Amino acid sequence: LRPSVVFLHTQQMAASSAYYYAHQQSRGKPGEVAAPKAQHTPLSPDDAQATVQANAKAAVWAAGWDEKDVTKYAKERMQELLSAVAPESGRIQVTKVELVEGESHMLLTRGKKRVAYEFEAKLFWKGGDEAKGVLKLVDLSSDNCDSFDMELKVDSDFADGTAKAEVMALRKPIQAQVDAFKADMLARY
């Protein structure tokens, strides 16, 4: 098409199309009516305070997620708590705790604090001079804090063969220490 034909075609579309007319109007070309300019009106102090409070609530809701890495302290605290694990029978004692790997984060979700953690730990234990071994806590995490896995390795057993049962009875004391860990983390951060 020649330029003059395109120009005529555009003018015909402008005359028959409301969209084109509105588009042209919003540009504010000379001779056409433009959209009115926005006028600033200051808020009263009460309205300003209400707006700030509404925005603060919206910001907490909209933020949705805040995360802080607390792995260093969490490892130290978990190791300290697991070292204090003691069975009800008293024949087994934890001699050493190694946190093999893991991480911990404090989360703020919609104004609520949560602790997220995932650790693997080895608890070295002994029972007098006769029994000893290693108890490995696998997938000790906030996702399944009530159902962590325990892998037991018995290097030497008691004469009556009860070391395995006594070490596996550590689940409740370990669970109590994990609960104490969560409460401590929530109180600290």
Side-chain angles (χ1 to χ4, degrees):
L1 295 170
R2 294 188 318 244
S4 61
V5 173
V6 171
F7 179 72
L8 286 174
H9 181 68
T10 305
Q11 283 183 332
Q12 288 171 354
M13 281 180 48
S16 66
S17 171
Y19 171 76
Y20 186 80
Y21 178 74
H23 180 72
Q24 287 296 330
Q25 232 184 6
S26 66
R27 285 188 179 174
K29 289 186 174 182
E32 292 183 2
V33 178
K37 291 187 177 191
Q39 300 211 355
H40 175 69
T41 54
L43 292 174
S44 70
D46 292 337
D47 290 342
Q49 183 64 25
T51 303
V52 167
Q53 289 174 351
N55 286 343
K57 287 179 184 175
V60 169
W61 181 261
W65 189 269
D66 189 20
E67 183 175 349
K68 182 178 182 181
D69 185 8
V70 293
T71 301
K72 183 179 177 187
Y73 174 77
K75 279 186 173 184
E76 292 169 0
R77 186 65 178 142
M78 182 66 84
Q79 193 162 1
E80 178 184 327
L81 288 168
L82 290 176
S83 295
V85 168
E88 295 169 6
S89 71
R91 288 179 62 182
I92 300 286
Q93 114 183 48
V94 176
T95 58
K96 180 180 167 187
V97 175
E98 287 182 4
L99 286 181
V100 177
E101 59 184 48
E103 62 184 359
S104 180
H105 299 274
M106 286 304 299
L107 309 172
L108 179 65
T109 307
R110 296 188 182 120
K112 290 179 91 176
K113 288 193 302 186
R114 285 187 23 207
V115 60
Y117 59 92
E118 185 171 348
F119 293 114
E120 284 190 13
K122 285 184 181 178
L123 281 67
F124 295 86
W125 57 271
K126 71 176 187 173
D129 291 332
E130 9 175 0
K132 67 177 182 175
V134 179
L135 176 65
K136 186 174 180 185
L137 304 177
V138 182
D139 197 23
L140 185 62
S141 68
S142 53
D143 293 338
N144 62 347
C145 57
D146 296 335
S147 64
F148 53 89
D149 294 329
M150 296 175 23
E151 296 174 3
L152 177 62
K153 179 183 173 198
V154 178
D155 295 333
S156 59
D157 202 345
F158 290 117
D160 58 3
T162 59
K164 181 177 181 181
E166 289 194 33
V167 173
M168 294 309 272
L170 286 175
R171 179 177 286 282
K172 281 186 180 180
I174 290 171
Q175 184 61 54
Q177 296 297 52
V178 170
D179 293 341
F181 168 77
K182 290 188 293 189
D184 179 51
M185 294 298 286
L186 289 173
R188 181 176 173 92
Y189 292 100

